[in-house]
Amino acid sequence: MTSRSRPIITRADAGWPEEWTAASRVYLDWDLCLLSVEHDGSITWDELQAIKNNLAGGVAVTIEVYPPADRVVNNIAMRHLWLLGDDEWWPDLGREGEVRPATLRDRYLAAQLIDGDRQ
């Protein structure tokens, strides 16, 4: 592996998990919180989840972004998983619990909504 900023793991490395059958190379950029997985085109959700769990932890939450058509870059079989911070909101398929502002921006916007209701 290289620096904490951008470790690269390949199928040729010792310790490559045998259940990672479609992935061929994995990049983890802790500065960007980006997990990029190069694969053979047949990668499954389960394999991506296993890679995420192995490298970022089982409690980590990642998302994929599907940009507007004119911003798509699709010249290699690679998936990009963006790691969310501990306090970032994400849709948890009905198990979201109590809604609470988590960031300064959220708290500011919530306060504006409350003030607007009072007027």
Side-chain angles (χ1 to χ4, degrees):
M1 289 199 193
T2 59
S3 72
R4 172 167 162 73
S5 183
R6 190 130 169 108
I8 301 170
I9 305 163
T10 69
R11 187 183 303 271
D13 291 341
W16 180 268
E18 63 183 50
E19 67 271 14
W20 297 2
T21 57
S24 57
R25 190 174 295 156
V26 178
Y27 307 86
L28 181 53
D29 187 327
W30 284 110
D31 293 333
L32 291 176
C33 294
L34 174 61
L35 178 61
S36 299
V37 181
E38 196 172 331
H39 58 88
D40 66 6
S42 69
I43 198 157
T44 64
W45 183 92
D46 291 323
E47 187 168 342
L48 287 169
Q49 179 75 8
I51 293 168
K52 186 274 302 178
N53 288 348
N54 185 289
L55 296 176
V59 298
V61 176
T62 62
I63 60 170
E64 282 190 284
V65 176
Y66 293 84
D70 66 345
R71 303 274 311 271
V72 170
V73 176
N74 192 18
N75 56 6
I76 188 171
M78 185 175 280
R79 302 286 287 271
H80 302 285
L81 305 176
W82 296 90
L83 291 152
L84 298 182
D86 293 339
D87 289 332
E88 290 191 79
W89 181 88
W90 54 281
D92 192 11
L93 302 177
R95 295 183 296 269
E96 295 165 7
E98 181 182 339
V99 177
R100 64 176 178 79
T103 65
L104 175 59
R105 182 177 188 276
D106 290 347
R107 292 187 297 275
Y108 178 80
L109 292 174
Q112 285 185 327
L113 288 173
I114 291 168
D115 286 345
D117 287 344
R118 291 181 188 158
Q119 295 179 8

